[in-house]
Amino acid sequence: MSKMTSEPVISQVYTASQRTMLPKSSRVKTHALTLEWTFGMNHALPVFSLQDRENIVILYGGSHVGVMYDHTSNSQHLLQGHCSLISCLCVSEDRRWLVTADRGQESLVIIWDSYSGIPVRTLFECPPGGGVVALALSKDSKLLATVGDGELQKVCIWEWTCETEEPLCVAEISPEYGSQNHILFNPNDNTQLISNSEKQVLFYNRDKGSLEYSAPELQDKTFNKVVGAISQSVFHWKGIQALSATAAGNLVLWDVVRGCPLSRKAIKLLPFQADGITVLTTTDRLIVTGDVQGHVKFYDEDIKLVSWYSDFNLDPIASISFSKESPPVSGDGYSEDCSIEAKSFLIRNFVLSTTSSMVVHVNARGGEPKTLLHEHCEPLHAVACHPKQPLVAMCSLGGILKVWDYNSKLVVASRIFKDEKQIQCITFDPQGFYLAVGFASGAVHVLDACTLQSNSEECFRYSRDCITHITFSSDSNYLATADTGKAVMVFRLHMSSTSQCWKYLGRHHSHYKPITDLLFGVHLDSTQPRLLSLGMDRRLVEYDLEKSSEDALLILSAERIDQSAVPTCMAWYPPLTTEHFLLIASNLHKIKLLNCTTKMCRKTLLGPTFGSPIQKINILPIHKDHDPYSRCLAYITKNKVGLQILPLDGNPHKSTALTCHPTGVSALACSYDGRFVFTAGGPESTVLAWEISLDALEGAAALGGKDLIPFYSLLEGGRDGEFFREMEDFFYYCQLRNQGIDSMETRKVSTHIPLVEVPFVMRALGFFPTEQELEDMQNEVRFSKYAETGKYVTDIDLEEFIKLYVNHRPAFGLCGDELVHTFQILRDPYVTEGEPVINRDEMMELLQARGEHMTEEEVAECFTTLLGLNPEGGRSELGTFACQDPEQLLECELPENISMETFASHILGFPTFKTGDSSVSQNDKLSTATSERANVLKE
């Protein structure tokens, strides 16, 4: 018998070296979406120099990821692990350890090994309740200081190399000292720290597990001069004194109080310059400042000016980081300092970042600056992909338009708009000749896609409202826009034998609520383009492009497509079926397929349920390496990007989503070859590129099971649960009733029930659809095979019914807040105190005159059954409902003023809940009494 041996696993962190920095990611994709590249940066965070020899490597923050960027090889390694926007960064003295932190409900502090890119420690919710606003590592990297967010800030010291989950010591900062936003260890003494807010500097001393701090006075009256808002503070490199820089251009010098070495006071206010100082740091034996003019100045230990850089023509400095590589001994090629001896000014190379999202590397030998990054610094809401080339265009509210080659990660074209700056949306035409740009001012520019230039005649200003949507027709002859004025505007391409130009066609105020999407298509019986707009008013409007003339855009049809759900976006469903569909997503996590010609709702499906509803959808192009019948769509929600396998059937395992922009994603674009998805982060000023792996997505879907297994998991208790058994009982009871309850003939057992019985089973299961929803359900089943066979379906089996039920019922059950909202709208205006109530007579009138009208007899039948006064259970089983005076009956049984609690608990039989309850379970929402009444399949 052989003896099994195994080699010990060697840690990648232990074996990593500086040469392994920025490791190459594996080409085997195990996730459906993999973050490939981050375009843009958070200019509010510092930028750190990591390497400065063979390669120039820097660290910065972009959205919720840390970015290790190698400028020499033009590559990135992304530090992923945060769900919220990264709020602060810091690095160790030797650049081996990196720390990232965020602010959010589930805040994290993550310590990374920069050589391997692996997280070595994660601190959860430190401190709890809001995240971290400032970080610092001690000089030996063993201690980590964090400053918490919130009104009552906590400063914690962590010995992060130990396994303990608790900090070494904690200090609570009084709110009177302002929000501390910067902290630093004393490089000569790990027991001392300094932090500051805009108005107060605090000094800390750690002793025997406690952290004490002092707040020396610093006001304008201290020196009878304007001090200014404090920007940053550092310890003098000798470790005794400390310095603070201010927005008024002053430098405050702190020293220990005689006889009390742990206390400090401001001893001098040095008016350095007229311009505000934004950055204060030290390197070797020098004190370094950066200011709002983009200047960098160096001072010696006596705070005397030694040298400066003032000719870089930069915006205000946001951070300065020096290389860990020591300066050479020889001074050849270095500039001279300001001393009388004019010595060579030997300093380390350094990296600057500015408030305009520019990162500059300065080689101290020669003082030549090199721009490493120049990104968008204003909110970025627009992104679009070229239809035939690996190009992606992105625009910000600062008026900057850039076109990137997303394979080489290089900018191939750019333009700055000076007259109109706030770019809101962009799109390429299907041929790739034009790039249309929509502005917040209402202007529309049509650019050459290669040069990004435009003729003055093709700069249109026919609207004063912000352009929110812009799209071309498939033949590139029409351009349409939607704006915040709830109007659609159309332009047409006029061609002559010698030239072609865009002309204004017309504008129509076609919606009374904001427009959510705009879409061109093609008529099925011709190649003529068709244009549709979708609004929050639940209207789907189609325009008559053929008959429209200059300044007269005509409407062909307008359909109300839903009763309660608000549509959010639409797309043409790919030709996976005989019938052609228009796909529409709504705020209730539902996706509807409408017949392209009749606009009839042909199918309702459960959409992705990852927090918020779908906001935008793109059908992915067919990838050359994949099955042409294996299609997929990409979508975005409030802060996530996801993929959904087609055809749609409600299977939750066919969908996936990841957090892409914690503060909100504003735009989505897909590459022409279906390999990448790009998301724009709005206020984050970033665009993220996601690589798609359909194999990984299909593999994950396969793990969810085949046939009905994924749908059983959506039922409470699953296939073996009580709810499923009740569903079977209702299903077979319908067969009995359909054959006659009192019939003495031999029963015919079947696996199907007539389509007319579906509404009763749905209601018995606790789902109460409207008449329009019931009609949609029946049409969905009735026409399910009509396109293939030409015949109607008149019955349904249990398996198809389960799918129908899962897809049509509310995605998250009944929500108590919805009932509260309804009562707030319908409440009696004369009853202003206490909880809202509805007058009984007004409720009866609303039920009979508004929405789907009910007769007086139907109202009486429903209420008497709900109240237990109709033991027969209603006419659905035993014939007609008999009541001599239904109005008198309701007056006796219902109070004059009906409160929300009365309506929910006493009439509907829901579990008792109060305002603020999130939801009532889909299958537990009826009380015991109501469940018993449901067993008789009451309408």
Side-chain angles (χ1 to χ4, degrees):
M1 185 175 180
S2 62
K3 188 175 182 179
M4 297 182 62
T5 61
S6 61
E7 296 182 359
V9 178
I10 301 176
S11 168
Q12 295 183 42
V13 176
Y14 181 77
T15 58
S17 66
Q18 186 168 314
R19 293 182 178 273
T20 63
M21 187 179 285
L22 295 180
K24 301 298 181 182
S25 60
S26 172
R27 299 311 300 170
V28 178
K29 301 299 180 183
T30 57
H31 300 283
L33 288 168
T34 303
L35 185 57
E36 171 73 13
W37 195 268
T38 298
F39 299 92
M41 60 180 291
N42 186 345
H43 62 80
L45 297 179
V47 176
F48 293 100
S49 171
L50 298 182
Q51 280 192 30
D52 200 270
R53 280 190 176 175
E54 294 86 359
N55 292 25
I56 298 176
V57 182
I58 59 175
L59 171 71
Y60 59 90
S63 186
H64 62 305
V65 297
V67 182
M68 295 169 62
Y69 172 59
D70 186 333
H71 178 265
T72 308
S73 63
N74 193 27
S75 59
Q76 289 183 352
H77 178 73
L78 303 174
L79 308 177
Q80 301 180 72
H82 295 276
C83 294
S84 300
L85 201 67
I86 291 181
S87 56
C88 47
L89 303 164
C90 74
V91 299
S92 62
E93 187 82 9
D94 60 0
R95 304 303 194 267
R96 178 67 190 267
W97 311 110
L98 318 176
V99 188
T100 59
D102 65 56
R103 278 187 293 191
Q105 294 182 349
E106 298 178 353
S107 60
L108 300 176
V109 174
I110 305 178
I111 298 94
W112 309 81
D113 171 32
S114 68
Y115 292 173
S116 63
I118 295 174
V120 295
R121 181 71 191 275
T122 301
L123 303 176
F124 297 92
E125 295 199 23
C126 68
V132 177
V133 295
L135 289 167
L137 279 170
S138 60
K139 188 172 183 178
D140 60 7
S141 305
K142 294 182 179 180
L143 299 179
L144 172 67
T146 62
V147 180
D149 195 13
E151 293 185 6
L152 184 62
Q153 290 184 293
K154 292 183 179 180
V155 175
C156 303
I157 309 298
W158 305 81
E159 195 172 7
W160 65 271
T161 56
C162 299
E163 295 183 358
T164 177
E165 297 295 328
E166 299 297 327
L168 287 177
C169 48
V170 179
E172 293 187 352
I173 309 302
S174 173
E176 66 177 303
Y177 299 131
S179 178
Q180 302 291 305
N181 53 36
H182 182 260
I183 192 167
L184 206 63
F185 277 95
N186 188 333
N188 299 312
D189 187 352
N190 285 351
T191 64
Q192 297 182 6
L193 300 94
I194 186 173
S195 74
N196 67 263
S197 64
E198 290 188 354
K199 66 178 182 179
Q200 182 68 57
V201 177
L202 302 179
F203 292 90
Y204 303 82
N205 186 72
R206 178 172 56 88
D207 183 31
K208 296 180 181 180
S210 65
L211 185 65
E212 304 293 335
Y213 69 89
S214 61
E217 181 182 12
L218 178 63
Q219 298 178 7
D220 292 348
K221 65 181 181 179
T222 305
F223 297 102
N224 292 322
K225 293 180 181 179
V226 175
V227 175
I230 302 168
S231 53
Q232 292 184 355
S233 302
V234 297
F235 283 99
H236 194 283
W237 60 268
K238 289 184 177 180
I240 299 176
Q241 295 180 326
L243 300 163
S244 296
T246 76
N250 298 321
L251 208 63
V252 181
L253 182 61
W254 305 89
D255 205 346
V256 296
V257 177
R258 183 174 299 178
C260 188
L262 299 182
S263 298
R264 284 180 169 83
K265 68 175 181 178
I267 60 171
K268 284 185 181 180
L269 182 68
L270 306 174
F272 264 32
Q273 57 189 55
D275 302 312
I277 300 174
T278 55
V279 176
L280 178 64
T281 186
T282 60
T283 178
D284 299 323
R285 297 193 173 191
L286 297 172
I287 299 167
V288 189
T289 65
D291 59 37
V292 295
Q293 293 296 327
H295 301 165
V296 179
K297 298 178 182 179
F298 297 82
Y299 301 87
D300 63 13
E301 59 183 276
D302 298 321
I303 317 182
K304 294 180 180 179
L305 185 64
V306 176
S307 185
W308 68 91
Y309 293 93
S310 59
D311 54 356
F312 291 166
N313 193 27
L314 299 175
D315 290 316
I317 304 296
S319 70
I320 303 174
S321 176
F322 287 87
S323 168
K324 66 176 181 178
E325 316 295 344
S326 300
V329 178
S330 172
D332 296 340
Y334 285 81
S335 61
E336 298 176 346
D337 63 18
C338 302
S339 64
I340 298 176
E341 296 84 1
K343 300 176 182 178
S344 295
F345 183 55
L346 301 178
I347 59 169
R348 305 169 188 253
N349 297 344
F350 59 96
V351 171
L352 303 172
S353 71
T354 71
T355 56
S356 58
S357 295
M358 178 182 286
V359 179
V360 176
H361 176 269
V362 180
N363 191 326
R365 187 188 295 271
E368 291 297 325
K370 177 192 291 186
T371 301
L372 305 183
L373 295 171
H374 193 185
E375 304 291 354
H376 297 273
C377 62
E378 298 289 339
L380 195 157
H381 295 292
V383 61
C385 288
H386 195 281
K388 297 182 178 181
Q389 298 178 30
L391 302 176
V392 58
M394 54 193 74
C395 307
S396 66
L397 297 186
I400 300 176
L401 166 61
K402 287 186 178 183
V403 179
W404 290 76
D405 183 323
Y406 52 75
N407 286 338
S408 64
K409 308 300 189 297
L410 296 175
V411 177
V412 297
S414 64
R415 178 178 174 181
I416 300 177
F417 294 88
K418 297 182 179 179
D419 295 333
E420 261 119 3
K421 289 190 174 183
Q422 296 189 334
I423 302 174
Q424 204 68 34
C425 52
I426 55 173
T427 187
F428 285 95
D429 81 292
Q431 304 303 318
F433 297 145
Y434 301 103
L435 178 62
V437 183
F439 294 84
S441 63
V444 177
H445 291 197
V446 182
L447 315 179
D448 182 284
C450 296
T451 64
L452 303 185
Q453 300 304 310
S454 59
N455 298 324
S456 58
E457 297 178 355
E458 294 178 330
C459 300
F460 305 102
R461 296 176 177 82
Y462 289 94
S463 173
R464 295 182 179 179
D465 300 304
C466 175
I467 304 296
T468 56
H469 299 78
I470 189 165
T471 182
F472 282 97
S473 61
S474 58
D475 59 4
S476 300
N477 288 331
Y478 288 93
L479 170 66
T481 68
D483 56 43
T484 54
K486 311 175 192 66
V488 170
M489 188 162 48
V490 176
F491 305 89
R492 179 187 292 167
L493 182 63
H494 287 259
M495 292 179 285
S496 64
S497 58
T498 58
S499 65
Q500 56 185 23
C501 63
W502 289 91
K503 298 290 185 181
Y504 171 73
L505 180 60
R507 184 171 183 263
H508 200 116
H509 191 284
S510 49
H511 294 267
Y512 63 88
K513 286 188 177 182
I515 297 173
T516 58
D517 211 347
L518 190 66
L519 184 65
F520 270 107
V522 178
H523 288 283
L524 297 181
D525 54 353
S526 69
T527 59
Q528 293 298 315
R530 60 190 299 197
L531 175 63
L532 298 95
S533 64
L534 186 66
M536 294 182 69
D537 52 9
R538 305 178 181 88
R539 282 163 48 97
L540 178 64
V541 179
E542 183 168 0
Y543 302 85
D544 193 338
L545 298 177
E546 186 176 357
K547 295 182 180 179
S548 296
S549 58
E550 186 174 353
D551 210 21
L553 179 61
L554 303 179
I555 289 180
L556 182 64
S557 65
E559 309 280 346
R560 185 179 176 91
I561 60 170
D562 214 308
Q563 289 180 305
S564 55
V566 177
T568 56
C569 57
M570 59 181 172
W572 296 110
Y573 198 67
L576 301 175
T577 60
T578 307
E579 195 173 356
H580 296 273
F581 296 120
L582 176 65
L583 182 155
I584 296 180
S586 74
N587 68 327
L588 298 183
H589 298 272
K590 300 293 183 180
I591 296 177
K592 287 191 173 185
L593 299 183
L594 273 60
N595 182 281
C596 287
T597 304
T598 64
K599 311 289 194 335
M600 176 192 290
C601 178
R602 287 283 294 100
K603 187 169 285 191
T604 300
L605 300 147
L606 177 66
T609 54
F610 298 101
S612 57
I614 292 176
Q615 293 184 345
K616 186 173 178 59
I617 283 177
N618 273 3
I619 305 297
L620 290 179
I622 300 175
H623 194 285
K624 62 180 181 179
D625 298 331
H626 287 87
D627 182 357
Y629 296 100
S630 177
R631 301 300 300 272
C632 183
L633 65 82
Y635 63 89
I636 55 174
T637 65
K638 181 180 179 181
N639 60 357
K640 291 180 174 62
V641 60
L643 297 176
Q644 169 75 53
I645 295 176
L646 300 178
L648 296 169
D649 59 4
N651 182 349
H653 300 292
K654 288 187 177 181
S655 180
T656 186
L658 294 173
T659 298
C660 57
H661 299 279
T663 60
V665 53
S666 55
L668 170 72
C670 299
S671 64
Y672 76 101
D673 55 6
R675 291 176 52 231
F676 294 100
V677 169
F678 298 88
T679 56
E684 298 172 13
S685 305
T686 56
V687 169
L688 302 183
W690 304 84
E691 188 173 0
I692 298 171
S693 174
L694 293 182
D695 292 338
L697 180 60
E698 291 169 354
L703 293 175
K706 297 181 179 180
D707 301 325
L708 278 183
I709 294 177
F711 297 93
Y712 289 142
S713 65
L714 297 176
L715 301 176
E716 185 178 358
R719 175 68 177 79
D720 301 321
E722 181 181 351
F723 185 75
F724 179 79
R725 290 195 295 271
E726 286 185 357
M727 185 178 289
E728 285 184 314
D729 292 342
F730 292 152
F731 203 78
Y732 293 121
Y733 179 75
C734 280
Q735 294 184 25
L736 295 175
R737 192 180 63 172
N738 186 253
Q739 298 173 28
I741 294 293
D742 299 326
S743 174
M744 301 301 293
E745 298 180 4
T746 303
R747 299 291 182 180
K748 298 178 181 180
V749 180
S750 171
T751 58
H752 293 70
I753 61 172
L755 198 55
V756 294
E757 296 291 335
V758 168
F760 304 113
V761 183
M762 290 288 181
R763 289 163 178 157
L765 293 172
F767 170 38
F768 304 97
T770 65
E771 294 300 322
Q772 179 61 55
E773 290 170 338
L774 289 173
E775 183 179 345
D776 290 343
M777 287 185 205
Q778 293 179 332
N779 287 337
E780 180 175 328
V781 179
R782 184 179 294 115
F783 294 102
S784 59
K785 298 180 181 179
Y786 186 82
E788 292 82 5
T789 65
K791 297 181 179 179
Y792 298 112
V793 176
T794 58
D795 53 23
I796 186 172
D797 62 15
L798 181 59
E799 292 185 355
E800 289 300 318
F801 178 83
I802 290 174
K803 291 183 180 180
L804 193 71
Y805 170 75
V806 166
N807 281 314
H808 280 265
R809 71 177 182 180
F812 299 107
L814 299 179
C815 180
D817 289 337
E818 292 181 11
L819 187 59
V820 173
H821 179 67
T822 302
F823 265 75
Q824 292 288 355
I825 295 175
L826 302 178
R827 67 181 299 169
D828 189 337
Y830 299 103
V831 180
T832 57
E833 296 182 359
E835 73 175 309
V837 297
I838 301 177
N839 182 269
R840 178 189 59 219
D841 295 336
E842 290 183 3
M843 176 179 285
M844 298 302 110
E845 183 180 350
L846 288 170
L847 291 173
Q848 296 177 56
R850 304 290 292 273
E852 294 181 342
H853 302 176
M854 300 175 69
T855 64
E856 187 177 29
E857 183 185 79
E858 290 173 334
V859 172
E861 179 185 3
C862 286
F863 275 101
T864 53
T865 303
L866 288 170
L867 294 171
L869 303 177
N870 185 10
E872 294 182 349
R875 59 179 159 181
S876 58
E877 182 179 17
L878 297 177
T880 59
F881 170 73
C883 181
Q884 298 296 329
D885 190 353
E887 184 176 354
Q888 178 65 30
L889 177 65
L890 293 177
E891 287 183 0
C892 296
E893 298 297 331
L894 294 177
E896 182 178 357
N897 291 319
I898 303 173
S899 68
M900 183 183 65
E901 183 178 356
T902 300
F903 185 77
S905 302
H906 300 158
I907 298 177
L908 297 181
F910 287 178
T912 303
F913 68 93
K914 298 180 180 180
T915 304
D917 284 356
S918 58
S919 66
V920 181
S921 170
Q922 181 69 33
N923 303 312
D924 288 340
K925 61 181 175 290
L926 297 176
S927 66
T928 303
T930 308
S931 297
E932 293 174 354
R933 299 172 201 138
N935 289 337
V936 298
L937 309 178
K938 176 67 199 93
E939 181 179 9

